[in-house]
Amino acid sequence: QGGGSAVIDMENMDDTSGSSFEDMGEMHQRMKEEEEEEAEGEAGAAEEEDGEFLGMKGLRGQLGRQVADQMWQVGKRQASRAFSLYANIDILRPYFDVEPIQVRARLLESMIPVKMINFPQKIAGELYGPLMLVFTLVAILLHGMKTSDTIIREGTLMGTAIGTCFGYWLGVSSFIYFLAYLCNAQITMVQMLSLLGYGLFGHCITLFVTYNIHFHSLFYIFWLGVGGLSTLRMVAVLVSRTVGHTQRLILCGTLAALHMLFLLYLHFAYHKVVEGILDTLEGPNMPPFQRVARDIPVVSNAVLNTTAKAIALTL
Amino acid sequence: FAGLADVSISEDIPVEGEITVPVGSRSPDEDFSTLDEPVRDTIMRDLKAVGKKFVHVMYPKKSSALLRDWDLWGPLVLCVSLALMLQGGSADSKDDGGPQFAEVFVIIWFGAVVITLNSKLLGGTISFFQSLCVLGYCVLPLTVAMLVCRLVLLAGSGTISFVIRLIVVVAMFGWSTLASTAFLADSQPPNRKALVVYPIFLFYFVISWMILTFTPQ
């Protein structure tokens, strides 16, 4: 009897989830009660079976069952305690505490660079908006990849889109946070994630427009204008939180370069095609979204001019 | 413990109740045991439950049947049939242009899990599996749209067929989103409904997009 409860107590002591003395005491008490029951059952069974001439088999079966039951209870308790400790999504709950009006306000603010850089600007540490923007970017990217018949050889369209967007958001945030740590900037990881996430709003708008209207010069205008505005905003906020010219230069230069280059990359890597539009204009028998990218770099200027004229005519 | 020495029950109050301790559960002979019924009964009962939920999705009224007895059979069947129908729709048969089975499967389940976590984090009162159940069942209109698209594509693949497919897919997408919103939005605080509806909209939009851009070989 003492041996059984000692084994179970040892398991509890090895458990580093910080079980309190009350818990252990309670468990010990429960174990003791169960063992008393088991002892009674054992004694009762022994009497019955001696009387019914069944011998040792019945006794061992009941004992085995009760021990198995105990082990199951202990295991279940430990598993549920570990689960409630590590898989607790309530850790993230404060970052999702936001109203729709706030999200809309922050989206619009992410395009407006602040003027006051001598005073640390407030960054909301919220993760709902950035997460939704990353998913929206994934959806837009998928749209762009589909309409340009991008062929991914080592992987899938969806996997590439998700990997690119989440990789950028998490990877660049961590990298800039690390740089911020080196340059003594006042920013936390959640704030950095939030800032970069909202900065993707400009990317979403640009890509949404330019994946549908295939005009290279339009893309460059949007790249500089919309992309530039959201980059300026992020840079201004970071500058307001950093002291020292060299540090400001390093941090903001890196962020601006990465952000603008990412937009350029998204447009050119996943969307090949001005040439393809001519096929749909010329070939009514070809089903849509079946555009084949052709390599005619020599005539691309003539193609652009023709397209521009055609659009001007239709307008 | 000196004070406890004189605690006693007076003899004219009858003491009653059961003293026997139940040794084990009497499961084999209870009313809700389903172990002894014929297999046909079990399957028919589950099929009827799934069918009833399909009807609830197609005519979304205010009912709690979907939420109360959630099950994941319907979503599994719908997801597998959608993924099978979407397979192999690539422009060039040599390369992986179209969504493969695993891709569609993962998108649907991963997307549903993310939406569920999001709605829980925003303060929803619905449980994890209930939400998965609702989102899975509301894929039904899109599966119907996929069937229709495949039939239309058998007839031909010109502009008219594209327009028909576009209309059908957009209508079914709207139906799916409305149906799932009708079930899920009630469990949220009233001023945050838009925050929960947006990811659902995005999720069904991605699935509709995969259906619309499907082209057979």
Side-chain angles (χ1 to χ4, degrees), chain A residues 93 97 99 128 136 153, chain B residues 95 120 191-192 195 198:
Chain A
R93 208 178 275 270
D97 190 12
E99 306 290 317
Y128 172 82
T136 311
R153 284 170 202 283
Chain B
D95 304 296
K120 282 191 80 82
N191 49 345
R192 293 198 184 172
L195 295 182
Y198 179 69

Side-chain angles (χ1 to χ4, degrees), chain B residues 88-179:
Chain B
S90 52
D92 192 4
S93 58
K94 289 195 301 267
D95 304 296
D96 293 330
Q100 303 302 309
F101 182 91
E103 206 175 345
V104 176
F105 209 82
V106 163
I107 291 174
I108 293 183
W109 289 102
F110 179 66
V113 165
V114 164
I115 296 176
T116 308
L117 283 179
N118 176 56
S119 77
K120 282 191 80 82
L121 282 170
L122 284 173
T125 54
I126 203 173
S127 94
F128 184 73
F129 285 110
Q130 280 172 343
S131 173
L132 273 188
C133 169
V134 169
L135 287 167
Y137 270 104
C138 291
V139 171
L140 176 67
L142 287 169
T143 313
V144 169
M146 184 68 214
L147 261 175
V148 171
C149 281
R150 278 216 98 142
L151 291 174
V152 167
L153 278 171
L154 277 180
S157 48
T159 317
I160 301 182
S161 91
F162 174 67
V163 167
I164 297 177
R165 281 186 294 138
L166 180 67
I167 295 177
V168 167
V169 169
V170 165
M172 291 298 160
F173 159 66
W175 199 337
S176 280
T177 312
L178 282 176

Side-chain angles (χ1 to χ4, degrees), chain A residues 37 62 65-66 89-93 96-100 103 128 131-133 135-136 139 142-144 146-147 149-153 155-159 162 166 284-290, chain B residues 21-23 89 91-92 95-100 103 107 110 114 117-118 120-124 157-159 162 165 191-196 198-199 202 205-206 209-210 212-216:
Chain A
E37 261 187 65
Q62 194 166 32
R65 217 179 312 133
Q66 299 234 353
I89 60 169
D90 282 334
I91 305 172
L92 291 175
R93 208 178 275 270
F96 280 76
D97 190 12
V98 64
E99 306 290 317
V103 174
Y128 172 82
L131 202 63
M132 289 305 129
L133 278 171
F135 279 122
T136 311
L142 264 185
H143 167 38
K146 269 287 185 184
T147 56
D149 281 342
T150 305
I151 294 173
I152 311 269
R153 284 170 202 283
T156 60
L157 279 178
M158 193 68 196
I162 292 186
F166 268 96
N285 296 326
M286 222 198 266
F289 305 107
Q290 279 268 11
Chain B
V21 176
V23 175
D92 192 4
D95 304 296
D96 293 330
Q100 303 302 309
E103 206 175 345
I107 291 174
F110 179 66
V114 164
L117 283 179
N118 176 56
K120 282 191 80 82
L121 282 170
L122 284 173
S157 48
T159 317
F162 174 67
R165 281 186 294 138
N191 49 345
R192 293 198 184 172
K193 285 206 212 298
L195 295 182
V196 175
Y198 179 69
L202 209 54
F205 179 79
V206 169
W209 189 246
M210 286 197 295
L212 191 58
T213 60
F214 171 76
T215 50

